[in-house]
Amino acid sequence: MKRYSAFAIAREALRGHKGWERAWASPEPRERYDVIVVGGGGHGLATAYYLGKNHGITNVAVLEKGWIGGGNTGRNTTIIRSNYLQDASAAIYEKARALYETLSQELNYNIMFSPRGVMMLAQTHHEVRGYQRTAHANALQGVATEYVGPERVKELCPIISIDGPRYPVLGALWQARGGTARHDAVAWGYARACSDMGMHIVQNCEVTAVRSSNGQVTGVETTKGPIQCDKLALVVAGHSGRLAEMAGFRLPVESVALQAMVSEPIKPCMDVVVMANTVHGYMSQSDKGEMVIGGGADGFNNYTQRGSFHHIEETVRALIETFPMLSRLKMLRQWGGIVDMTGDRSPIIGKTPLGGCFINCGWGTGGFKAIPGGGWATAETVAKGEPGPLAAAFSLDRFREGRFIDESVAAGVAH
Ligand code: FAD
Ligand code: PYC
């Protein structure tokens, strides 16, 4: 595949942009692959990429029922941070954050990583204690965060009103190297790199059944016909319960809609990301100038991938005391994604009861930030047949053994 560069842009400008290649090939599926990854979101594509890059396994297909990145990966609010409490979480989220720093160069694809800083506001005394505790835990884990006071919050984000009558800002957990990236570029960049290694990215190919013999996976049925494989990785986020059912086991996950919206574009007024978890809202400003806003998850299980009017009102009402400027803004569009929620708000990565079948799911409201780390850990588990150090704590067994990795505070989104 031809490299993207400033020189290539200049060359194509001079010849009417006729020389650009398709970013990835769109082949019909083969009869058999060493590994099939179901799900062309960030985690599925990153799993395929690290299978090739780290383990030399390239006879791989990624099967996607819609279009690449059309699930949660292209629907999130793009927040990247690694300020979690438990050691296992800090390890995988920080690995992901660190990989994001150089992902554009590695993939030769501009994912627009912007380490502009992420702030989680403390607006109750309970949150002050919680975030101070996380800052101490992060110091021990080698994750660079700090607890800052209200004056520093105001300095970092002047549009915040720190002395609101109901929920004054008491401080914040600040991660200076957290930030955002362009979400669909992450999917496209991985897809292009996978295609370059000879892997097949097959869109419009829904998996409808999982085939097995003597407790071992043998392949899948799809809308493009049956395909055989030695190993299968299920990486389908909100549809994980459905795929697990096809493979003959149950998962401790619930699927709910999480919604977000953007305002009309305005001049630059906010160059950090702010999460206000007590009132359930978070906000950043996109490069186009829109305010990117999200709130809590819907309070009922469903598979409806769209937004609803009550959500706009609830979320803007929640944020308006802290961001009074919102009262003058028009909202432009809204949408929803189906996220997969575990009881401890931590992901599941590892083996399943079906031999040769692996799973990566349960990222809930916070898996965009984890894509490079989740893909890295899932690829290692698939390649070796056993989880490596990053994935080990996140096995499905933990729910049977009571080894929960409680991240309900760090998840930051009300559910
Ligand atoms: P997905 O991107 O959903 O990919 C799974 C893919 O599987 C989909 O493309 C789907 O079409 C495909 N699929 C499903 N069933 C089948 C089948 N039978 N056959 C073939 N393919 C199938 N996380 C953050 O870290 N920061 C945020 O700021 C953030 N904000 C969010 C805001 C919203 C509104 C939403 C909805 C989510 C947010 N998240 C955030 C969560 C994050 O988007 C997800 O955790 C993450 O994208 C999951 O990635 P994935 O690759 O596992 O899933
Ligand atoms: O995990 O940081 C996050 C997040 C923010 C909004 C949705 N998820």
Side-chain angles (χ1 to χ4, degrees):
M1 204 157 276
K2 284 188 203 152
R3 280 188 67 75
Y4 292 146
S5 64
F7 174 71
I9 293 172
R11 185 191 60 217
E12 290 307 323
L14 290 175
R15 59 181 194 190
H17 295 282
K18 299 229 168 64
W20 294 116
E21 301 172 324
R22 286 197 174 274
W24 58 86
S26 295
E28 285 305 303
R30 280 201 281 268
E31 252 174 48
R32 192 199 149 274
Y33 294 91
D34 292 344
V35 180
I36 288 178
V37 178
V38 188
H43 281 274
L45 291 161
T47 297
Y49 173 74
Y50 293 112
L51 273 171
K53 182 180 178 233
N54 294 353
H55 305 282
I57 301 172
T58 55
N59 184 16
V60 176
V62 179
L63 308 183
E64 165 56 49
K65 75 172 176 179
W67 65 95
I68 295 301
N72 295 304
T73 297
R75 293 166 188 264
N76 57 63
T77 43
T78 78
I79 300 174
I80 296 170
R81 57 187 175 85
S82 58
N83 53 357
Y84 282 66
L85 180 65
Q86 312 291 349
D87 291 348
S89 322
I92 195 162
Y93 287 106
E94 176 59 12
K95 171 81 181 174
R97 197 206 55 77
L99 287 168
Y100 263 125
E101 295 248 6
T102 52
L103 201 58
S104 293
Q105 291 79 359
E106 177 173 345
L107 299 178
N108 180 229
Y109 201 95
N110 188 3
I111 62 150
M112 298 167 74
F113 178 59
S114 162
R116 60 185 69 182
V118 175
M119 196 154 55
M120 293 171 92
L121 301 182
Q123 291 178 288
T124 63
H125 291 290
H126 179 75
E127 268 185 325
V128 171
R129 282 198 301 273
Y131 289 145
Q132 285 177 342
R133 181 183 179 210
T134 304
H136 291 311
N138 288 166
L140 294 171
Q141 292 151 348
V143 176
T145 66
E146 59 180 310
Y147 185 81
V148 297
E151 295 74 25
R152 179 84 176 117
V153 169
K154 185 79 183 164
E155 227 172 78
L156 287 164
C157 186
I159 61 170
I160 286 188
S161 159
I162 56 169
D163 43 23
R166 242 177 14 132
Y167 293 115
V169 174
L170 305 172
L173 181 62
W174 168 241
Q175 183 167 27
R177 294 300 294 178
T180 58
R182 177 164 176 184
H183 48 197
D184 29 24
V186 173
W188 297 336
Y190 275 123
R192 178 169 173 266
C194 288
S195 185
D196 200 29
M197 284 190 272
M199 296 178 182
H200 282 184
I201 311 291
V202 190
Q203 302 184 77
N204 300 313
C205 182
E206 179 170 358
V207 170
T208 52
V210 173
R211 294 286 169 233
S212 62
S213 168
N214 298 323
Q216 191 69 25
V217 75
T218 55
V220 291
E221 297 290 332
T222 78
T223 46
K224 289 183 184 263
I227 312 176
Q228 297 161 33
C229 63
D230 292 344
K231 292 181 178 179
L232 179 67
L234 307 177
V235 196
V236 293
H239 295 85
S240 299
R242 292 268 300 108
L243 267 291
E245 197 180 5
M246 293 179 201
F249 60 94
R250 292 194 69 195
L251 284 175
V253 296
E254 292 180 273
S255 293
V256 299
L258 181 64
Q259 303 185 35
M261 69 195 98
V262 290
S263 73
E264 60 188 328
I266 52 173
K267 289 198 172 149
C269 63
M270 182 185 186
D271 61 1
V272 295
V273 180
V274 176
M275 300 179 67
N277 301 334
T278 285
V279 296
H280 302 152
Y282 42 91
M283 191 158 85
S284 63
Q285 188 167 22
S286 76
D287 294 348
K288 284 185 279 184
E290 302 158 333
M291 303 311 287
V292 182
I293 299 170
D298 282 5
F300 48 93
N301 296 355
N302 70 96
Y303 286 97
T304 316
Q305 274 196 147
R306 59 174 178 230
S308 54
F309 284 123
H310 78 276
H311 183 83
I312 305 179
E313 193 180 335
E314 274 169 22
T315 304
V316 174
R317 192 171 52 201
L319 283 173
I320 222 155
E321 178 186 312
T322 312
F323 294 96
M325 50 81 79
L326 276 181
S327 68
R328 309 290 293 275
L329 273 186
K330 292 188 183 69
M331 295 300 140
L332 201 64
R333 55 196 166 84
Q334 61 170 149
W335 63 90
I338 303 301
V339 297
D340 45 337
M341 223 76 94
T342 59
D344 60 2
R345 308 310 185 215
S346 287
I348 301 170
I349 307 173
K351 301 200 277 188
T352 72
L354 177 63
C357 176
F358 302 85
I359 196 151
N360 164 324
C361 72
W363 295 99
T365 60
F368 174 68
K369 68 175 80 65
I371 284 172
W376 181 292
T378 310
E380 184 172 21
T381 310
V382 173
K384 297 183 176 164
E386 292 294 332
L390 277 181
F394 297 105
S395 69
L396 188 51
D397 290 344
R398 78 175 187 273
F399 296 95
R400 197 160 30 82
E401 295 164 1
R403 269 187 302 108
F404 301 127
I405 307 169
D406 184 359
E407 291 293 4
S408 34
V409 172
V413 176
H415 1 67

